[in-house]
């Protein structure tokens, strides 16, 4: 019977559901068995379920059908089959309670009933288990895979309704496919018989099993992708609007590696710095590596370019945040903005951290404006502890630590050491000059043992020289390919000139890059003539370690004034304009800078237009939106204020700050007045004036705004304000003796007679709100 038996044709149980199966309407018909003895036995043993089974018969309940399948299969010798079916039943029961997917559930019910009728009952009641063993094996492997993947995925998605629905849907699809493949295998097996087609049946079995398992694996991958892509939406949904506003109101600043003020920042040229970058990226991936990497070196060796390359490369991987300090900008040199900015960036890229940060901010809403110790606890430590451990480390890139205000560096590094000691998946990549106070801070035991030190300027000079040679050859080729480059038969530069240029650079990338900027500026002149000037020996003895850099800066500065014989007015204009550019607290557009220091736009343009290799100068001098004037690299202001020996170009920074403080106070004296915004009601509070910002923009001009914010800062930066030997007539009105005698500056007197004492100031900002101790 086992070899020749063919199922008798007859109606399939629940033919209404069979018609709904669509493409699978020709599944094997059930084997007729007298009286359905096994089913009667099952129902008699579970009389309490008879009513439920009848309901299942009418409504298509897959839970009851799977329970019947599990009970019937207890007598089968196939290992674990009954247990696996019962697990599938429990999962289906959970899904039925939590998900409205009636069609899918009824399809599964129909398929389970067909499995019972055509496979399990004949195997149990008629001793045909061996005949159906291959079909049962397909069913077992498929169910085991579906259950296993469901258990893995449901643990991740258990807290989130959307992900739970995804996992449930995928389980139903896997279960449906498993049942269909089992019935398709039975149909094939029945047609081919068990004789010579046995090998073919086994092959078909293996293909069926493999197809089912592959499908389940694909569905598991799809679940993981759904979880990943849905995470952001889920966590955002879990954050209230009030929580989102707390995060958005953190006092963060735009100091990322790709922020607008760093437009044009370059990464390392291909095939340069290869060994170093490889080491850094290996450190970033190594979970056992020390958590702080300090890359330090003298000015001009390429620290910022390396940091920019690291941040850019890690952006698609483990970059958590980046912060590039800059002395050019007040907010980017203030260490108090560092941790809020890092926390904000982490919240934008990691929804888990965002949720944890929102929870912490609810408990300490002012954390962003608090002391560093409070910031590190509530913006970093607690949120990181409150999130799930990520699969890879977060790398925080901090560039130019030496350009931030030095008062808090030691405290900051101690707090970072506390953070990395408690959070193993956070790392810091820090660059900066090895200035004394920074070097001493890194030598403290709390952070020393967790820091990997890399002294950049101690790299073998042959390696650095090779990288600089690649850079120079590439950039010089770009110059010669310019259509306006004067063509000749002789190659440019000559081998001897190239070797001199390379020798000048030494180990300093800044020398090479500044030379290229100088040679490629069409406004300055012919590249061939400029190179000849650049390589001419000055005949000045300079034993400074910055000799080559200073020499190229001097050539650039001298070239900018040579057309005017470098005497008198032109040199004074250079010192006034460039001195202001490198000493202002915040970079200013040309128009605002001219208004501040009392020079025309033509003077600003004349002093800076030939300095584009050392200054960032906007193309449109007349537009306030075109950009600000600022130094390319901190080494240029340092040269002018500390190492330049030519009195025509040297700038006394202390004196310049005094001059800027004086012009600020003169601006306050001349422009500040009572009710400068001309409010309809001078006693109104800020929030009661709907167009306050428009009034402020029209009444408080940019140079007046700068003077209000930074006059005191310039006095502080001048250090020995009261002992500078020069004409002090402009300072008499602000000197302490003058104030003590009751001779207040006019602008203070005007403030005295305005609404300041009623809780408001002359530009519409409440006095008491800004200075709570004013009383």
């Amino acid at each position: 019977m086992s070899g020749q038996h063919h199922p008798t044709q007859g109606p399939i149980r629940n033919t209404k559901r069979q018609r709904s199966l669509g493409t699978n309407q020709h599944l094997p018909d059930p084997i007729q068995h007298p009286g359905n003895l096994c089913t009667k036995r099952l129902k008699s043993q579970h009389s309490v379920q008879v009513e439920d089974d009848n309901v299942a018969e009418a409504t298509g309940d897959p839970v009851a059908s799977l329970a019947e399948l599990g009970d019937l299969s207890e007598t089968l010798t196939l290992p674990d089959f009954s247990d696996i079916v019962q697990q599938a039943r429990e999962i289906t029961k959970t899904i039925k309670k939590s998900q409205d997917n009636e069609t899918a559930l009824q399809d599964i019910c129909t398929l389970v009933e067909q499995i019972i009728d055509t496979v399990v009952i004949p195997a149990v009641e008629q001793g045909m288990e061996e005949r159906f063993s291959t079909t049962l094996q397909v069913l077992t492997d498929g169910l085991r895979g579906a259950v296993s993947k469901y258990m893995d995925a449901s643990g991740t998605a258990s807290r989130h309704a959307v992900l739970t629905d995804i996992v449930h849907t995928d389980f139903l699809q896997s279960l449906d496919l498993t049942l269909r493949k089992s019935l398709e295998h039975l149909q094939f097996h029945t047609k081919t018989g068990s004789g010579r087609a046995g090998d073919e049946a086994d092959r078909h079995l293996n293909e069926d099993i493999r197809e089912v398992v592959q499908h389940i694996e694909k569905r598991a991958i799809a679940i993981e992708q759904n979880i990943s892509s849905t995470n952001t939406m889920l966590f955002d949904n879990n954050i209230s609007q009030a929580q989102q506003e707390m995060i958005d109101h953190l006092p963060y600043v735009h100091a990322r590696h790709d922020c607008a003020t760093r437009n044009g920042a370059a990464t390392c040229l291909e095939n340069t710095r290869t060994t170093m970058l490889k080491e850094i990226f290996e450190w970033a991936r190594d979970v056992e590596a020390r958590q702080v990497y300090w890359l330090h070196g003298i000015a001009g060796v390429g620290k910022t370019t390396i940091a920019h390359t690291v941040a850019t490369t890690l952006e698609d991987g483990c970059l958590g945040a980046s912060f590039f300090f800059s002395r050019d900008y007040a907010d980017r040199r203030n260490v108090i903005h560092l941790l809020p900015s890092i926390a904000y960036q982490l919240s934008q890229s990691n929804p888990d951290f965002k949720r944890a940060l929102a929870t912490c901010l609810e408990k300490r809403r002012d954390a962003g404006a608090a002391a560093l110790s409070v910031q590190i606890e509530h913006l970093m430590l607690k949120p990181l502890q409150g999130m799930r451990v990520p699969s890879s480390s977060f790398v925080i890139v901090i560039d130019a630590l030496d350009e931030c205000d030095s008062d808090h560096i030691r405290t900051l590094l101690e707090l970072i050491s506390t953070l990395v000691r408690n959070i193993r998946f956070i790392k810091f990549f820090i660059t900066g000059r090895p200035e004394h106070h920074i070097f001493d801070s890194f030598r403290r035991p709390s952070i020393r043992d967790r820091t990997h030190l890399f002294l950049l300027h101690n790299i073998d000079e042959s390696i650095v020289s090779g990288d600089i040679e690649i850079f120079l050859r590439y950039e010089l080729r770009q110059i010669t390919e310019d259509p306006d480059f004067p063509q000749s038969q002789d190659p440019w530069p000559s081998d001897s000139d190239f070797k001199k240029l390379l020798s000048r650079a030494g180990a300093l990338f800044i020398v090479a890059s500044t030379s290229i900027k100088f040679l490629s500026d069409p406004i300055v002149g012919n590249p061939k003539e400029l190179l000849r000037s650049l390589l001419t020996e000055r005949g000045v003895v300079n034993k400074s370690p910055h000799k080559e850099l200073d020499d190229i800066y001097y050539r650039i500065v001298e070239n900018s004034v040579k057309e005017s014989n470098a005497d008198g007015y032109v040199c004074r204009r250079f010192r006034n304009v460039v001195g202001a550019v490198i000493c202002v607290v915040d970079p200013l557009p040309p128009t605002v800078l001219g208004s501040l220091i009392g020079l025309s736009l033509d003077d600003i343009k004349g002093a800076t237009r030939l300095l584009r290799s050392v200054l960032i100068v906007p193309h449109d001098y007349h537009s306030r939106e075109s950009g600000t004037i600022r130094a390319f690299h901190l080494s240029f202001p340092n040269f002018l204020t500390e190492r330049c020996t030519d009195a025509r170009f040297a700038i006394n920074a202390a004196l310049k700050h005094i001059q800027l403080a004086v012009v600020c106070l003169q601006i306050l004296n001349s422009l500040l007045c009572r009710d400068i915004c001309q409010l309809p009601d001078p006693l109104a509070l800020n929030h009661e004036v709907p167009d306050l910002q428009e009034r402020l923009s029209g009444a408080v001009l940019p140079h007046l705004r700068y003077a209000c914010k930074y006059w005191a800062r310039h006095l502080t930066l001048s250090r020995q304000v009261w002992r500078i030997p020069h004409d002090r007539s402009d300072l008499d009105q602000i000197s302490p003796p003058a104030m003590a005698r009751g001779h207040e500056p006019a602008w203070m007197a005007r403030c005295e007679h305005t609404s300041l004492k009623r809780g408001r100031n002359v530009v519409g900002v409440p006095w008491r709100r800004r200075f709570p101790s004013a009383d």
Side-chain angles (χ1 to χ4, degrees), residues 3 21 215 335 344 454 558 570 649:
L21 296 178
H215 170 80
V335 74
Y344 180 80
F454 193 105
E558 186 180 45
V570 173
F649 311 123

Side-chain angles (χ1 to χ4, degrees), residues 74-113:
E74 287 180 354
T75 59
L76 295 176
T77 60
L78 193 64
D80 302 328
F81 179 73
S82 178
D83 292 340
I84 293 170
V85 171
Q86 294 298 347
Q87 291 178 32
R89 171 186 175 275
E90 292 299 322
I91 294 171
T92 307
K93 184 177 180 180
T94 301
I95 294 174
K96 182 183 176 183
K97 290 180 179 179
S98 61
Q99 185 177 16
D100 183 16
N101 199 340
E102 181 179 354
T103 301
L105 291 170
Q106 288 185 354
D107 284 347
I108 288 172
C109 177
T110 300
L111 292 168
V112 172
E113 290 175 352

Side-chain angles (χ1 to χ4, degrees), residues 330 333 585-586 664 705-715:
R333 62 170 169 261
V585 180
D586 258 345
C664 285
R705 187 183 298 272
Y706 180 92
C708 291
K709 290 177 66 176
Y710 295 124
W711 67 269
R713 177 67 175 169
H714 283 297
L715 286 178

Side-chain angles (χ1 to χ4, degrees), residues 569 573 577 588-609 617-624 626-627 629:
Y569 170 76
R573 182 184 67 181
V577 174
L588 298 172
T591 53
V592 180
L593 182 67
S595 300
L596 180 68
I597 62 178
L599 291 178
S600 68
L601 201 57
D602 287 338
D603 285 327
I604 303 296
K605 183 176 181 179
T608 60
R609 71 184 186 91
V617 180
H619 293 288
D620 184 1
Y621 279 83
H622 296 270
S623 173
R624 292 179 183 175
S626 62
I629 305 179

